[in-house]
Amino acid sequence: MKWILIAYGIIFGMPITAAVFWFCRNDSEHVVWDCRHVYGGLVTYQALLYRNPRDVLKDPPGTSWRFQIQRFIEDVHMTPYDLDERWTSAENRWLRDEPSGPDFFCPQGSNRTSVMAITGPDTWWTEGEKRTFEELPPSYVVFVLGVSSQCHWMQPGDISRDEVPALLKGEVGPNSTRIGSAFWLAFADGTLLRIRTPDDPMALQPFLSITESAAAAREWLDPWVLETSHVDR
């Protein structure tokens, strides 16, 4: 149906209609492209280093998990960087000072991340957690896309599970993090859901815990689902 409407718009002199549907198609494809890279980086990191990526905070201000997995997503060998140094270090200034961050983490023309993990107890991001995505409940949310923040992609900064209800109410979190009227959820099995902000601020909580998500059905989110896609991890 989408392609019929695009063709109709082009043939009958309705370029705006065609452009809108073309933009929507590419927007979804871009999210899938982003997620495929992020999933791939996470899986490769875990397979090679035998641990899950996480923010490195032992030497504040540390580095983010996004910075940790970037080397497994794209070739950055031509750019000087040091994963053992904090993101604000002189060794990492070349990446840090780039006005545009990686496309799979940042909006175009920005170095502020729009991809964040949901952290806290009983999440994939806790110390010592080593389960693969295949070993997690399919309905567990690993990360979210489409948030607004002032968090540099190399900087440690995510959303804790406890912060989610307040963000869904429109409050502003750390690093000026906001959840807008619509955003994407990336599940352990590769399912992607674009949802509008739920009326119930507690609606996402069962999906943000490994234990609780085992008994959670994604159909519970149907009232707010705008679009569904999938990534082959």
Side-chain angles (χ1 to χ4, degrees):
M1 176 60 72
K2 186 182 297 183
W3 289 107
I4 293 174
L5 289 170
I6 292 173
Y8 182 89
I10 294 173
I11 293 171
F12 292 97
M14 297 174 63
I16 295 178
T17 301
V20 168
F21 279 95
W22 182 260
F23 172 80
C24 291
R25 186 184 75 87
N26 279 328
D27 183 61
S28 300
E29 288 184 350
H30 188 74
V31 169
V32 172
W33 184 89
D34 289 345
C35 285
R36 184 177 293 116
H37 283 75
V38 176
Y39 275 121
L42 293 172
V43 170
T44 304
Y45 183 104
Q46 187 186 55
L48 294 179
L49 300 182
Y50 304 103
R51 66 176 186 270
N52 290 1
R54 57 184 179 274
D55 289 345
V56 178
L57 301 173
K58 61 183 179 182
D59 183 22
T63 61
S64 72
W65 62 269
R66 294 173 290 271
F67 182 36
Q68 297 290 314
I69 72 169
Q70 190 214 11
R71 56 187 160 150
F72 300 123
I73 301 177
E74 64 178 2
D75 185 5
V76 293
H77 294 99
M78 298 303 293
T79 305
Y81 71 95
D82 189 340
L83 289 170
D84 293 325
E85 294 291 335
R86 62 188 69 185
W87 76 280
T88 55
S89 69
E91 290 82 357
N92 289 322
R93 69 184 183 278
W94 298 104
L95 277 178
R96 182 183 66 248
D97 293 344
E98 284 288 334
S100 298
D103 290 344
F104 37 83
F105 293 137
C106 306
Q108 187 174 13
S110 173
N111 56 21
R112 308 299 165 174
T113 186
S114 60
V115 178
M116 288 191 168
I118 303 296
T119 62
D122 198 32
T123 69
W124 192 72
W125 303 92
T126 55
E127 184 80 28
E129 175 59 58
K130 295 182 179 180
R131 275 175 283 190
T132 65
F133 289 149
E134 287 75 15
E135 295 171 320
L136 295 173
S139 292
Y140 171 67
V141 173
V142 182
F143 57 92
V144 297
L145 301 89
V147 301
S148 170
S149 80
Q150 288 300 311
C151 182
H152 194 286
W153 71 273
M154 296 169 62
Q155 172 187 354
D158 289 292
I159 301 171
S160 76
R161 184 172 180 247
D162 292 340
E163 292 169 344
V164 171
L167 291 173
L168 293 178
K169 292 178 183 177
E171 297 181 20
V172 180
N175 298 308
S176 299
T177 300
R178 292 178 172 86
I179 290 180
S181 59
F183 55 97
W184 290 85
L185 302 174
F187 292 86
D189 67 350
T191 296
L192 305 174
L193 294 184
R194 181 172 177 259
I195 68 170
R196 64 179 178 85
T197 303
D199 307 315
D200 178 4
M202 300 301 292
L204 298 185
Q205 291 301 99
F207 303 93
L208 309 181
S209 155
I210 293 176
T211 302
E212 292 183 34
S213 64
R218 277 195 288 255
E219 290 75 13
W220 298 351
L221 299 175
D222 282 352
W224 305 290
V225 172
L226 300 173
E227 192 172 351
T228 303
S229 192
H230 192 273
V231 170
D232 293 325
R233 295 173 286 101

